[in-house]
Amino acid sequence: MSDHPRIPLAGVIGSPIAHSRSPALHGYWLRHYGIRGHYIPMDVAEDDLETVLRTLPKAGFVGCNITIPHKEKVLAIADVISDRAALIGAANTLIFRADGKIHADNTDGYGFIANLREGAPNWQPTAGPAAVIGAGGAARAIVASLLEVGCPEIRISNRTRARAEVLRSEFGARVVVYDWVQAGNMLEDALTVVNTSSLGMQGKAEFRVPLDALTPAAVVTDCVYTPLRTRLLEEAAAMGCTTVDGLGMLLHQAVPGFERWFGQRPEVTPELRDVVLSA
């Protein structure tokens, strides 16, 4: 019998997972580049996570994405953790290495910065303060990435102040916490404004942070992409701001993982956006 090369497999693990657009995203790239691989959504309970992750490489998996609610727990399972994932305290991308070890990385910050640079080519993170709404997992990755690219001050406001204080204690003096009732005030002279919360998402509470203090010079982005043009983005655009939707962050964060798994650096294109939006 002749040896047959294994077809590389990857996927996304979460619970629930049926809503994920990652299979459409990676599936498009696999077809576009003519790669004989597959990307599979997997609904895995927390108690089964380690067993599944240790088993997948034996079935031909080269890696996987991790999403809610497993992004923090997976760090306790991984054998090797990147500096980015350790700093953020969560991983979204796993590589199953040839030596049997699980390597955990976090590409959310990379995706966030790449999306801003694509959508707002003149964006200068060093030019002034950033204002971040929300203090969850996405905020951690975004704060880390903004610090890395030289943002001089990052203002954070969260409905539960204690969560924002945790970010300040972990990321240092450039992070300043505002009370939730003062969230609108922190937008004054902020040149980067980011909603990392679920406010404004379909089925979630409305985004009601006052935007009166927003400067037209600001670049405003929303991690929410359902709807694609959120109330925050619509109002900011009407005030003259440059706005960047959240879909690009999803697309760009997928690039490093796909390259590691399948050996091809993929491109984020308008065609890809259309495929993922229609998924």
Side-chain angles (χ1 to χ4, degrees):
M1 292 179 65
S2 60
D3 290 332
H4 293 282
R6 277 182 131 179
I7 295 175
L9 305 176
V12 57
I13 291 177
S15 188
I17 203 61
H19 66 285
S20 175
R21 302 195 186 193
S22 291
L25 163 56
H26 289 276
Y28 171 83
W29 279 335
L30 288 168
R31 293 189 302 274
H32 181 75
Y33 295 107
I35 296 170
R36 291 183 68 236
H38 297 281
Y39 185 96
I40 303 159
M42 293 172 278
D43 194 321
V44 177
E46 187 173 352
D47 290 345
D48 298 327
L49 183 61
E50 181 162 10
T51 301
V52 170
L53 290 177
R54 297 291 178 195
T55 303
L56 287 178
K58 300 172 186 176
F61 278 78
V62 291
C64 66
N65 287 124
I66 300 291
T67 189
I68 295 170
H70 303 317
K71 296 174 81 167
E72 291 81 23
K73 183 181 179 182
V74 76
L75 292 185
I77 299 170
D79 303 298
V80 181
I81 300 170
S82 72
D83 291 342
R84 291 185 299 188
L87 179 65
I88 294 163
N92 73 330
T93 304
L94 301 183
I95 298 101
F96 300 144
R97 300 187 345 183
D99 62 5
K101 292 185 176 179
I102 297 174
H103 182 275
D105 194 9
N106 193 307
T107 65
D108 283 334
Y110 166 84
F112 171 75
I113 297 296
N115 185 40
L116 273 187
R117 293 202 187 283
E118 179 185 51
N122 296 322
W123 176 61
Q124 296 291 334
T126 59
V132 176
I133 297 153
R140 297 181 69 88
I142 286 166
V143 168
S145 66
L146 286 171
L147 290 172
E148 187 177 0
V149 295
C151 188
E153 177 181 284
I154 300 174
R155 304 164 181 173
I156 301 179
S157 189
N158 189 63
R159 282 171 288 187
T160 306
R161 183 185 172 105
R163 296 191 73 180
E165 291 285 1
V166 168
L167 294 188
R168 186 194 62 78
S169 67
E170 292 185 6
F171 288 105
R174 280 193 280 166
V175 175
V176 180
V177 175
Y178 282 68
D179 283 328
W180 184 243
V181 293
Q182 300 296 322
N185 295 348
M186 75 173 179
L187 304 182
E188 187 173 355
D189 74 17
L191 295 182
T192 308
V193 177
V194 190
N195 176 36
T196 73
S197 76
S198 62
L199 295 175
M201 184 186 295
Q202 283 178 359
K204 301 290 185 180
E206 285 286 341
F207 183 92
R208 299 194 184 281
V209 175
L211 301 181
D212 311 53
L214 198 56
T215 169
V219 172
V220 180
T221 187
D222 200 327
C223 292
V224 171
Y225 56 85
T226 51
L228 194 60
R229 298 295 297 174
T230 61
R231 176 178 174 182
L232 167 62
L233 296 184
E234 292 286 5
E235 292 188 7
M239 296 173 73
C241 299
T242 299
T243 60
V244 182
D245 68 57
L247 181 63
M249 180 176 170
L250 172 72
L251 306 183
H252 283 285
Q253 64 81 30
V255 169
F258 188 92
E259 182 178 21
R260 290 290 296 272
W261 301 329
F262 299 112
Q264 167 74 52
R265 182 139 184 114
E267 288 188 59
V268 173
T269 60
E271 292 78 15
L272 175 67
R273 283 179 62 93
D274 290 342
V275 166
V276 174
L277 279 174
S278 63

